[in-house]
Amino acid sequence: MATKLAASEDKLGSIHELTAEYCKQRLEAALETGEPIPPAELGAITKFLKDNNIECTKKDMEEKFGDIIKLAAPDYEDVEADFG
């Protein structure tokens, strides 16, 4: 039976870096063009951030990322406040 070899830490780090760069470029492109990011892709980006302990409140996001927050789906509380 063949032995499975784990990827090196360097290779995994490289994949992580490429993933982070892709997410950044995707968000920047969407912000530039105004094209919405599909919810599944935005969810994957959000999960990537959360899995890496990158979290902030909506207020933090507005302060740090400005218009990029408009690409995210509204929170339930926002919808409830708008429509009662």
Side-chain angles (χ1 to χ4, degrees):
M1 190 156 136
T3 303
K4 290 185 179 181
L5 299 176
S8 71
E9 197 171 316
D10 286 343
K11 283 184 182 179
L12 293 174
S14 178
I15 291 169
H16 188 273
E17 186 176 336
L18 289 170
T19 302
E21 185 60 32
Y22 171 81
C23 292
K24 179 180 176 263
Q25 289 175 357
R26 186 69 178 99
L27 290 168
E28 288 174 343
L31 184 59
E32 256 182 47
T33 64
E35 179 183 332
I37 296 175
E41 187 175 1
L42 189 57
I45 292 170
T46 302
K47 183 177 182 332
F48 177 77
L49 294 171
K50 188 171 184 174
D51 288 351
N52 286 278
N53 297 317
I54 307 298
E55 297 183 33
C56 58
T57 65
K58 185 174 180 181
K59 182 180 177 188
D60 291 337
M61 287 184 68
E62 289 170 348
E63 289 173 4
K64 291 178 184 179
F65 303 111
D67 290 339
I68 205 164
I69 189 68
K70 294 176 184 174
L71 299 172
D75 292 332
Y76 174 76
E77 292 82 15
D78 293 339
V79 173
E80 187 175 40
D82 289 343
F83 298 105

